Amino acid sequence: NAGVTQTPKFRVLKTGQSMTLQCAQDMNHEYMSWYRQDPGMGLRLIHYSVGAGITDQGEVPNGYNVSRSTTEDFPLRLLSAAPSQTSVYFCASRMNFNYGYTFGSGTRLTVV
Amino acid sequence: AQSVTQLGSHVSVSEGALVLLRCNYSSSVPPYLFWYVQYPNQGLQLLLKYTSAATLVKGINGFEAEFKKSETSFHLTKPSAHMSDAAEYFCAVSDLAGNQFYFGTGTSLTVIP
């Protein structure tokens, strides 16, 4: 099993550009989430999904969109990148609420 | 909303000494609680979890945590620190519905030879 796969691993964007961070899991997990990690702030929840077709906002959703058309995939879209979105982004999935999350290896995004 | 507070953003211990990393949660109903470890430039790895079964939970790499409802705490301990334990540790909480999962701000553990 590959687990949770995130692409790309690194990206540099110019302010105003858009991009999609890809996330795929092969564990048939219902729950998936996107977090951003910034120094001194831990991980903050951006968006989450409890199943295909169901998404909801977390703590810091502004500037990001998600969709969940299949169980496996949960892409995160940056609509118009801003320097404040420079961060490390983690995608994670879990079976249900009894389980912890399995994390991808992260995407390091720099917006200049 | 659920939240967790990790006391001490940086903890240093000598090799072989006790490791104690503190986590307190805010909830009137005992939630599900988790500890994760993050090594440099890597994703997070689950150490252990509490889901209302035994209050003393054993995890990987010799770590354990005790759920104390009266203190709303879930502190992480290891009897004897090893150099390989140097990492960032995160406490996390999930509400019983499981819809949202929140992390603390993390504690960086340094192990001194």
Side-chain angles (χ1 to χ4, degrees):
Chain A
N1 282 348
V4 179
T5 302
Q6 290 185 239
T7 55
K9 293 191 182 303
F10 304 93
R11 184 72 185 268
V12 178
L13 277 182
K14 293 183 178 179
T15 298
Q17 287 185 318
S18 63
M19 78 162 293
T20 298
L21 282 67
Q22 301 291 346
C23 176
Q25 54 93 6
D26 61 359
M27 298 171 284
N28 202 32
H29 287 173
E30 290 296 325
Y31 290 66
M32 296 186 75
S33 292
W34 276 101
Y35 291 88
R36 58 176 291 173
Q37 183 176 26
D38 302 290
M41 304 190 74
L43 285 88
R44 291 181 292 170
L45 181 63
I46 305 172
H47 286 285
Y48 66 96
S49 169
V50 298
I54 306 169
T55 63
D56 206 345
Q57 297 180 352
E59 301 172 80
V60 289
N62 292 341
Y64 307 95
N65 272 358
V66 292
S67 60
R68 184 97 181 269
S69 56
T70 66
T71 299
E72 295 77 20
D73 299 301
F74 191 44
L76 178 72
R77 298 180 185 85
L78 278 70
L79 308 174
S80 177
S84 61
Q85 293 179 303
T86 293
S87 186
V88 180
Y89 291 84
F90 287 101
C91 179
S93 72
R94 60 175 174 163
M95 180 75 71
N96 59 41
F97 60 85
N98 265 336
Y99 291 78
Y101 272 104
T102 297
F103 279 79
S105 56
T107 296
R108 187 175 295 274
L109 176 68
T110 301
V111 182
V112 298
Chain B
Q2 304 279 356
S3 68
V4 288
T5 302
Q6 292 185 241
L7 298 176
S9 58
H10 297 277
V11 170
S12 293
V13 300
S14 297
E15 190 174 16
L18 171 72
V19 176
L20 171 60
L21 305 181
R22 300 178 186 273
C23 174
N24 289 88
Y25 67 91
S26 64
S27 172
S28 58
V29 177
Y32 297 133
L33 294 157
F34 305 80
W35 275 101
Y36 282 82
V37 61
Q38 184 181 33
Y39 299 101
N41 299 313
Q42 294 187 25
L44 280 73
Q45 179 183 4
L46 180 66
L47 274 178
L48 49 80
K49 64 178 181 180
Y50 167 77
T51 55
S52 74
T55 56
L56 182 62
V57 182
K58 294 187 183 298
I60 62 172
N61 301 339
F63 284 93
E64 62 182 35
E66 185 172 9
F67 173 75
K68 291 187 177 180
K69 182 179 178 181
S70 60
E71 299 177 7
T72 61
S73 68
F74 190 57
H75 301 332
L76 182 70
T77 60
K78 182 174 180 178
S80 176
H82 192 273
M83 296 299 294
S84 61
D85 295 327
E88 188 92 16
Y89 292 81
F90 292 94
C91 183
V93 62
S94 173
D95 61 19
L96 295 183
N99 292 335
Q100 300 199 25
F101 196 96
Y102 294 103
F103 286 85
T105 53
T107 297
S108 177
L109 176 66
T110 299
V111 181
I112 303 166

